[in-house]
Amino acid sequence: MKKTVFLSVLFAFLIFPITVFAGEIGDDLEYAGYLKTELWLKNYNDEAHQSLSAFKNTFDIGLESKFSDAWAFFFHPRYFYDAAYGIRNDFDSNFDKNQDKMGHTQRTEWLRDCYLDYFSDKLDIRLGKQQVVWGQADGLPFMDRVMPFDLTTYWLPDFADIRIPLWMLKAEYSPRLNSTLQFLLIPDFEASRSAPHNAPFSFSANNAWEGFKPVNRNYGGSAQTLIYRPAKKLKNSRVGLRWRSMMGDLEYTLNWLYGYSTSAYTFTDSFTAAIPDTSFGDYIVSRRHKLTHLAGFTFNKSFVDPGLFKDWTLRGEFIYVHNQPTYYGTDGSRKKTELTDNYAYLLGFDKNFFTNWQFSAQFYQFITNDRTWDTYQVLNAYTYGVMDKVENGLTCKIATDFMHERLKPEVLIIYSDDNDGRISLKTKYELKDNLWLGCGYHHFWGPPRGSNGQYRNNDHAFFDVTYTF
Amino acid sequence: MLKKAMFCLAVLLFAGVCLSARADDLEFRKVYKLKPAMSVDEIMKISEHVQYTLFANDYQSTGNVLYVEKSGATRTRKFLRQRIILGPDSLRPEYRYKDLVMFTQPTMVKGLGILTWSYNDLDKVQNQWLWLPSLKKVRKVSAAQADDSFMGSDFTTEEITTRRFEDETFKLLSEEKFKGGFSEIDAKSYYQGRDCYKIECRPKRDPWYYSKRLTWIDKEFGSTIYDEVYDPNGKLYKTILKRYEILQVNGKDYPTQVFLEVKDLRTGHKTGIVMDDIKFDQGLSEGLFTVKSLMRSRW
């Protein structure tokens, strides 16, 4: 353990004396990066004690090479190592068992960007590993569904850090000013990732299933999980189109995406009861990705003319997902997974008040086409809690700055109609150009099977130091 | 007698209309110089023309913002700024200019991009988009309020990007040789003995974050070289020094801001903005000032 701590501290402070910024090597090669140390402390609301849940050290560097005004190459690796597993002295605990899945960068995620750019007046092409983002919602992935997500820390980090980049072709054609047609061809496939059993932010549905397994075994049952991923072949490519244009001051996009869902869904392939009329028995379940259509639109408009809404910005997103695997069952217990259609929309309002207080409010609804299937009700995919046909929610984000933008606090509140929600407070302080401090707190509340309520005993405080170069 | 008075009034009104028409109708893409006996409105209109480089087709520079604490501790931001001037005689007469600022340093803000469309219509506020590196997405935002700090500096947004001729009333106080403006950032005095108009500018908004400003306008090119800004209680609280150089572009003399320094006398905090590598009339395409350009950011 001493060795791990030593390496972590060394890793964290090795670059501390470096006082240069993003730099240039020659005229056409530019680099920038950072080293970040994060400390996450879990606060057990009802047990009144805290525990270390992450001591994460991240190294990130971006290299940009411009061959000409039209051509450029960008390479951006990132690696993290979480020293909490070495520091916490609880070997064989559930926390410690997750080190392989949580303790360092997973799969291909170390490579954040690696692409070739070609820009011209009419056509932009980005070929390689990258992120594509649709939509403008705060704190929620409404239209932002092109990339898979790493949800091991739920939706708490900046989304750019939890999207899993993919190899793809992105082409943007501009037939006229302020109008572009974006075409995506994504032959690469990575599944969205959730936290393993009993990690700080594992989903309660997963915890319940993993908790059920040993009990099931005691009653003579068994459980086998098969994972089916689409092969990384051209024929399995996801395809996307987005038309973006303006009508006066109204900016809008029309979006369409077709391909295998980035999320894996659980299906029960077979079940043989060990004890009649009970749920104990032999399970074969599979995790599958299904072909889905996503269609939708977004819009935004800043009211620039005089009138009641002057200075306000209105945003909206609507998505329709066809053939989305959806869970049905009873509260806490998934019985079936069926393909159904879902809708969601969001309306956002932004305005600056009191000189430099940015205020952003959003109202959203998730609508499931089929609330029931046979006698079962639609379930929350994270928790298997019973959902309404229409789930309503509100978000509110307030951000400001003090001391000449040295101190930047913000708060995001997400609240749904089941009295389920979270408050995320975040503050950044610029000590020097290349040295930033951050801290914050995530508070969750709600019913045990609410999206946020599942973490109601899982508040987290975090502190970070970032050295940039 | 009455007829004579009416005639005089009519002449005065006509003259007033002519003067204000001249002041309002400065052509875009044309360099104006101050001439003797110009009205204060004409002087201020030319000053505004210079500030927003409305004499050019387009503008590009790199910039370095220095935030200097009272203690002397300094933070920096570097950016690339591009602007295309449109105006009433352009293909898009509703726009005044479009402006793109991309931060290049330090790393924490690298890639942050701000696209602004400014309108000719005085009643319209700006349209603004941000490229947010931490989210890797473009976000439409409500335009910053006029009295908000510009990029965290001691300047307000209004002082750098939104103040218009029509926002203030003016009174010519004197013609004088300027006493000199001292830059604390590079410890030099500038423009000592320069021939200037000293003008009092009062905001039409009331209440507003300042009650008046005294401005010194260079007689040769109409550029504002120094401002004293007074708070609502009439107390001097901020000084602004602006350095200009004349750039020769296609045979024309372009008065060009190369350095701005503002000092907040209440806090002792200073902000300097140094412009480098300034280029005019590069033939920048309007296509550069679109959301697509923001999305090209790699950082």
Side-chain angles (χ1 to χ4, degrees):
Chain A
M1 192 192 90
K2 277 184 181 172
K3 192 179 168 188
T4 310
V5 174
F6 172 73
L7 285 174
S8 293
V9 172
L10 184 67
F11 186 49
F13 292 97
L14 197 59
I15 297 180
F16 183 74
I18 293 177
T19 52
V20 294
F21 311 132
E24 291 177 4
I25 305 168
D27 288 339
D28 302 319
L29 185 61
E30 206 177 322
Y31 66 89
Y34 65 83
L35 192 115
K36 183 177 183 181
T37 298
E38 289 169 81
L39 197 68
W40 285 65
L41 292 172
K42 180 176 173 178
N43 184 22
Y44 295 80
N45 298 341
D46 53 358
E47 295 175 33
H49 73 282
Q50 294 180 331
S51 66
L52 179 70
S53 58
F55 182 32
K56 196 173 167 183
N57 299 291
T58 307
F59 176 71
D60 176 293
I61 186 166
L63 295 154
E64 180 186 65
S65 178
K66 289 179 185 163
F67 309 125
S68 67
D69 286 346
W71 292 92
F73 178 71
F74 189 59
F75 178 70
H76 175 202
R78 178 188 296 166
Y79 189 84
F80 82 84
Y81 177 75
D82 192 336
Y85 298 91
I87 293 169
R88 274 178 58 160
N89 215 355
D90 49 0
F91 300 109
D92 296 327
S93 70
N94 286 320
F95 180 82
D96 205 54
K97 284 174 189 165
N98 287 326
Q99 181 168 7
D100 276 351
K101 290 180 179 173
M102 297 285 290
H104 53 81
T105 308
Q106 296 292 302
R107 304 191 304 208
T108 61
E109 290 163 35
W110 66 274
L111 188 56
R112 306 300 298 172
D113 298 278
C114 181
Y115 54 75
L116 187 67
D117 265 340
Y118 168 76
F119 296 153
S120 69
D121 285 347
K122 290 278 183 194
L123 184 67
D124 284 5
I125 291 177
R126 185 165 282 182
L127 180 65
K129 198 170 194 191
Q130 58 188 293
Q131 295 185 21
V132 171
V133 183
W134 287 355
Q136 301 195 359
D138 288 331
L140 297 165
F142 255 76
M143 186 59 87
D144 190 359
R145 298 196 183 200
V146 178
M147 314 306 299
F149 279 89
D150 169 10
L151 298 181
T152 48
T153 42
Y154 196 44
W155 295 102
L156 304 181
D158 287 336
F159 282 11
D161 293 336
I162 59 172
R163 289 189 203 100
I164 299 172
L166 295 173
W167 295 92
M168 68 170 91
L169 165 73
K170 181 179 85 169
E172 297 253 3
Y173 172 67
S174 305
R176 59 175 191 260
L177 193 67
N178 296 316
S179 297
T180 56
L181 179 66
Q182 183 186 79
F183 169 71
L184 302 175
L185 180 70
I186 313 173
D188 190 16
F189 186 86
E190 293 284 348
S192 288
R193 205 151 60 82
S194 56
H197 172 219
N198 277 342
F201 290 101
S202 50
F203 295 136
S204 64
N206 185 23
N207 284 342
W209 171 244
E210 294 297 329
F212 170 75
K213 279 180 178 175
V215 181
N216 187 39
R217 265 198 305 275
N218 288 342
Y219 286 97
S222 66
Q224 186 184 0
T225 302
L226 306 170
I227 293 175
Y228 297 100
R229 302 257 193 258
K232 293 181 183 182
K233 290 182 178 174
L234 197 61
K235 68 172 187 177
N236 289 337
S237 297
R238 288 193 298 146
V239 183
L241 283 173
R242 184 187 70 175
W243 170 251
R244 193 179 61 75
S245 190
M246 296 188 76
M247 287 190 292
D249 291 329
L250 178 76
E251 184 183 1
Y252 68 92
T253 69
L254 304 173
N255 307 58
W256 173 75
L257 183 70
Y258 175 70
Y260 285 98
S261 61
T262 53
S263 298
Y265 293 90
T266 304
F267 290 79
T268 304
D269 293 349
S270 76
F271 170 65
T272 309
I275 302 171
D277 299 327
T278 68
S279 55
F280 302 113
D282 298 322
Y283 287 88
I284 298 178
V285 300
S286 58
R287 300 275 292 159
R288 295 170 188 266
H289 302 263
K290 292 289 183 181
L291 287 169
T292 57
H293 279 277
L294 182 150
F297 64 86
T298 72
F299 68 90
N300 65 68
K301 178 181 167 65
S302 290
F303 291 88
V304 296
D305 290 305
L308 189 62
F309 296 105
K310 187 177 179 181
D311 281 344
W312 283 85
T313 297
L314 172 67
R315 296 175 285 111
E317 300 185 11
F318 171 83
I319 56 167
Y320 162 66
V321 185
H322 177 57
N323 275 349
Q324 182 169 21
T326 305
Y327 299 144
Y328 291 90
T330 54
D331 197 27
S333 176
R334 182 190 60 82
K335 303 294 182 190
K336 297 173 85 67
T337 305
E338 299 292 344
L339 301 183
T340 184
D341 294 350
N342 294 318
Y343 315 83
Y345 74 88
L346 170 144
L347 288 173
F349 309 87
D350 306 332
K351 187 170 168 32
N352 296 318
F353 288 100
F354 314 118
T355 303
N356 67 341
W357 287 78
Q358 296 153 25
F359 175 83
S360 172
Q362 299 179 134
F363 169 75
Y364 62 86
Q365 287 195 321
F366 288 108
I367 304 162
T368 309
N369 206 35
D370 301 298
R371 188 193 175 201
T372 56
W373 202 283
D374 298 336
T375 55
Y376 299 121
Q377 287 183 285
V378 66
L379 302 180
N380 183 318
Y382 300 152
T383 65
Y384 293 164
V386 169
M387 292 205 305
D388 299 324
K389 181 178 175 68
V390 179
E391 291 282 332
N392 306 291
L394 289 168
T395 76
C396 176
K397 185 178 177 183
I398 300 169
T400 189
D401 64 84
F402 300 101
M403 304 165 69
H404 301 278
E405 291 189 0
R406 272 189 115 157
L407 183 66
K408 292 183 172 180
E410 68 172 52
V411 58
L412 172 69
I413 304 167
I414 297 178
Y415 178 79
S416 78
D417 59 1
D418 301 316
N419 192 25
D420 173 275
R422 73 171 158 107
I423 295 179
S424 293
L425 295 156
K426 203 159 62 170
T427 298
K428 282 205 172 298
Y429 180 72
E430 182 182 355
L431 205 60
K432 291 163 63 176
D433 283 333
N434 65 333
L435 186 58
W436 292 66
L437 309 177
C439 67
Y441 195 83
H442 299 288
H443 171 62
F444 302 88
W445 74 90
R449 292 198 178 94
S451 293
N452 292 290
Q454 64 180 322
Y455 303 124
R456 69 202 179 288
N457 191 23
N458 202 21
D459 283 5
H460 269 78
F462 65 92
F463 309 89
D464 60 64
V465 185
T466 306
Y467 318 102
T468 65
F469 56 89
Chain B
M1 186 67 186
L2 184 66
K3 273 186 185 174
K4 202 173 175 181
M6 291 286 281
F7 174 72
C8 287
L9 188 63
V11 168
L12 282 173
L13 280 172
F14 179 71
V17 167
C18 286
L19 279 177
S20 64
R22 279 213 305 277
D24 285 347
D25 292 337
L26 294 187
E27 285 178 38
F28 282 48
R29 282 167 283 280
K30 190 173 172 185
V31 180
Y32 289 90
K33 288 191 176 184
L34 298 187
K35 291 173 187 167
M38 272 188 166
S39 72
V40 68
D41 282 358
E42 286 172 309
I43 293 167
M44 293 309 295
K45 196 74 190 173
I46 289 174
S47 170
E48 183 195 28
H49 202 71
V50 171
Q51 180 182 350
Y52 294 113
T53 66
L54 301 181
F55 49 75
N57 291 306
D58 57 61
Y59 165 89
Q60 177 177 309
S61 75
T62 57
N64 193 3
V65 187
L66 306 165
Y67 303 89
V68 186
E69 304 284 336
K70 192 177 182 181
S71 64
T74 303
R75 297 176 300 135
T76 59
R77 299 278 186 275
K78 289 190 177 178
F79 62 85
L80 169 70
R81 179 172 212 161
Q82 293 171 307
R83 179 190 293 162
I84 187 167
I85 315 299
L86 295 163
D89 59 342
S90 71
L91 289 173
R92 300 183 183 280
E94 70 269 35
Y95 296 104
R96 196 167 201 230
Y97 60 81
K98 294 183 178 179
D99 195 80
L100 182 65
V101 176
M102 302 290 284
F103 285 84
T104 53
Q105 286 188 13
T107 300
M108 214 61 177
V109 296
K110 189 176 175 63
L112 178 66
I114 308 166
L115 173 66
T116 306
W117 293 357
S118 187
Y119 295 89
N120 282 315
D121 185 341
L122 292 168
D123 293 327
K124 278 192 166 188
V125 293
Q126 295 177 327
N127 246 322
Q128 220 164 50
W129 292 260
L130 295 183
W131 169 261
L132 299 162
S134 63
L135 302 173
K136 287 226 179 231
K137 72 178 180 184
V138 173
R139 177 79 147 73
K140 187 75 187 288
V141 292
S142 293
Q145 297 208 335
D147 57 344
D148 189 8
S149 156
F150 178 74
M151 296 186 338
S153 72
D154 295 287
F155 291 103
T156 60
T157 300
E158 179 189 75
E159 284 162 347
I160 299 291
T161 68
T162 61
R163 180 180 289 151
R164 302 282 285 263
F165 167 81
E166 291 80 0
D167 293 335
E168 296 178 313
T169 58
F170 310 106
K171 183 177 163 191
L172 180 61
L173 298 179
S174 63
E175 295 181 36
E176 63 180 39
K177 288 198 182 296
F178 183 51
K179 62 188 175 186
F182 184 72
S183 163
E184 297 196 27
I185 289 177
D186 62 3
K188 284 184 189 169
S189 190
Y190 292 96
Y191 296 121
Q192 199 163 12
R194 191 91 167 186
D195 288 327
C196 286
Y197 293 107
K198 182 180 176 184
I199 293 168
E200 181 186 271
C201 314
R202 287 189 181 271
K204 289 180 182 170
R205 283 199 199 191
D206 185 25
W208 196 222
Y209 70 93
Y210 70 102
S211 58
K212 70 171 182 183
R213 64 187 176 104
L214 299 182
T215 188
W216 280 260
I217 308 280
D218 180 288
K219 276 192 172 180
E220 193 177 354
F221 288 101
S223 46
T224 299
I225 56 173
Y226 195 73
D227 269 335
E228 286 180 355
V229 187
Y230 293 77
D231 69 15
N233 297 319
K235 189 177 176 189
L236 176 66
Y237 84 96
K238 189 157 84 169
T239 59
I240 302 171
L241 172 67
K242 299 180 181 180
R243 269 180 52 211
Y244 281 79
E245 286 179 5
I246 304 302
L247 291 191
Q248 282 263 330
V249 181
N250 302 325
K252 290 186 274 187
D253 288 340
Y254 282 0
T256 309
Q257 272 183 11
V258 294
F259 178 72
L260 306 172
E261 180 176 321
V262 55
K263 181 174 181 183
D264 188 325
L265 303 173
R266 297 166 302 188
T267 62
H269 192 275
K270 296 175 280 290
T271 306
I273 304 179
V274 185
M275 265 72 76
D276 283 320
D277 199 18
I278 301 168
K279 294 172 186 164
F280 284 104
D281 298 350
Q282 298 284 295
L284 298 182
S285 155
E286 197 185 343
L288 191 64
F289 300 88
T290 60
V291 174
K292 189 178 92 166
S293 286
L294 279 180
M295 290 168 56
R296 286 175 170 175
S297 176
R298 301 181 186 97
W299 300 94

